[in-house]
Amino acid sequence: MKVLVTGANGFLGSRIANYYGQTHQVYTYGHQTLDITSLESVEAVFSIVRPEVVVHCAAISNTGYAQEHPEESHQVNVVGTTNIAKASMKHGAKLVYMSSDQVYNGTRALGLLPEEAPLSPVNVYGKDKLEAEKLTQEILPSAVGLRLTWMYDLPTSTMKLNSNLLVNIKQAFDTHTPLHIATHEYRGITNVWDVVKQLEACTELPGGIYNFGSENRLTCYETFTQTARLLGYGDIEQLIIADDERFHAQPRNLSMDITRLRSHGIDFPDTIEGVMNALQ
């Protein structure tokens, strides 16, 4: 199968390219080799590769950077994604593209959130991802949009690492620098390899939006402290500090319900179980 991967130099894209490159013809493009904000450039690449499947990971995913550079974020995260959708439609390729749990940032509901939950994202990145979803599904109804959680890999990985659950905890204990973690925030956190290994199955999903990652009913503070214990650290209360003020007035909830995904035979362990599996 001929697979085109955008954002192939990033945290997720590099792992997708590495994993599926062992069994498929994978063509990789990063921002230096493909300007997704140019429809002409995108269509030129598609004409050369003629992909059967497109895995679109390219994005400005740093929420702080997106907030400070809204025009650039819109060009990459919205215009770039719709350009990929247009080219996929023209060339008859199955499109699987990455969205984000940040579309839920701003909801007032608690508990696990289904895809149809009312949405009113509060940051630029979340707004752009939601707009990209809507436009992409209008252009190409067969496209599969995956709302991803925050992801992690083991700190010992030789591949590109991001600021993530395991890395941040390790750094805190190595440097004796406390982490202040909100007790009024909820979000799933997922092993990136659980995402990578289940992507091929997504090519068989009906078009639409899917929550794609580990569920989590714990607060972020509980998630961090339980993970630190699994990592074998002591004196946890000294280096993982409960922040009771942040989001006190309105809890922040990004925790996703993956019932729709399960109905198609794809599943994830919950956040803590996923950490246990990764550490084994």
Side-chain angles (χ1 to χ4, degrees):
M1 184 164 61
K2 296 174 72 173
V3 182
L4 189 155
V5 179
T6 70
N9 297 325
F11 176 73
L12 176 61
S14 61
R15 287 163 173 79
I16 292 170
N18 179 275
Y19 184 79
Y20 289 104
Q22 301 174 42
T23 53
H24 299 290
Q25 288 179 268
V26 175
Y27 299 82
T28 60
Y29 290 86
H31 69 274
Q32 294 178 327
T33 53
L34 174 59
D35 177 10
I36 63 171
T37 67
S38 165
L39 180 58
E40 182 180 1
S41 297
V42 170
E43 290 189 339
V45 165
F46 273 63
S47 295
I48 295 169
V49 175
R50 299 192 178 280
E52 299 168 76
V53 171
V54 178
V55 181
H56 178 49
C57 301
I60 290 177
S61 57
N62 183 306
T63 57
Y65 185 91
Q67 198 70 23
E68 294 173 0
H69 303 84
E71 293 184 6
E72 184 179 352
S73 175
H74 191 272
Q75 281 295 306
V76 173
N77 293 331
V78 180
V79 176
T81 301
T82 57
N83 284 343
I84 295 293
K86 291 173 183 177
S88 296
M89 178 182 65
K90 180 177 180 179
H91 290 270
K94 179 69 174 184
L95 172 60
V96 179
Y97 66 98
M98 307 306 141
S99 188
S100 170
D101 61 1
Q102 287 292 325
V103 301
Y104 296 108
N105 192 349
T107 182
R108 303 185 70 84
L110 296 179
L112 301 182
L113 301 169
E115 290 85 350
E116 63 272 14
L119 299 175
S120 54
V122 295
N123 58 23
V124 167
Y125 180 69
K127 291 175 181 177
D128 284 349
K129 282 297 189 179
L130 183 57
E131 183 180 356
E133 287 182 3
K134 291 178 179 178
L135 293 175
T136 298
Q137 296 307 137
E138 289 174 3
I139 294 165
L140 186 61
S142 65
V144 172
L146 304 179
R147 290 177 178 167
L148 303 178
T149 71
W150 192 20
M151 294 175 289
Y152 63 86
D153 200 351
L154 296 175
T156 54
S157 173
T158 58
M159 302 188 73
K160 180 177 182 178
L161 286 170
N162 60 355
S163 174
N164 68 58
L165 175 67
L166 302 187
V167 167
N168 292 0
I169 291 174
K170 183 178 186 301
Q171 288 179 345
F173 282 86
D174 287 349
T175 63
H176 304 286
T177 304
L179 292 170
H180 295 263
I181 306 298
T183 60
H184 298 288
E185 181 179 22
Y186 305 82
R187 69 186 309 180
I189 308 176
T190 309
N191 181 350
V192 66
W193 290 106
D194 287 341
V195 170
V196 170
K197 292 175 182 179
Q198 301 202 82
L199 271 178
E200 187 167 9
C202 295
T203 63
E204 302 298 326
L205 288 173
I209 306 299
Y210 299 85
N211 291 336
F212 199 74
S214 292
E215 294 180 339
N216 193 12
R217 291 174 172 81
L218 302 176
T219 68
C220 283
Y221 175 73
E222 291 168 334
T223 300
F224 269 73
T225 54
Q226 288 194 27
T227 299
R229 291 190 183 95
L230 290 172
L231 288 166
Y233 290 116
D235 298 323
I236 291 171
E237 293 76 11
Q238 304 302 314
L239 286 170
I240 300 181
I241 311 299
D243 184 346
D244 296 322
E245 293 301 318
R246 194 178 184 203
F247 309 122
H248 174 74
Q250 175 57 53
R252 185 165 87 153
N253 182 27
L254 310 181
S255 296
M256 301 190 302
D257 182 334
I258 62 170
T259 298
R260 176 178 295 175
L261 193 67
R262 289 195 183 104
S263 72
H264 293 279
I266 303 174
D267 201 358
F268 286 86
D270 71 24
T271 293
I272 293 301
E273 183 183 355
V275 171
M276 292 173 63
N277 293 343
L279 295 179
Q280 291 173 359

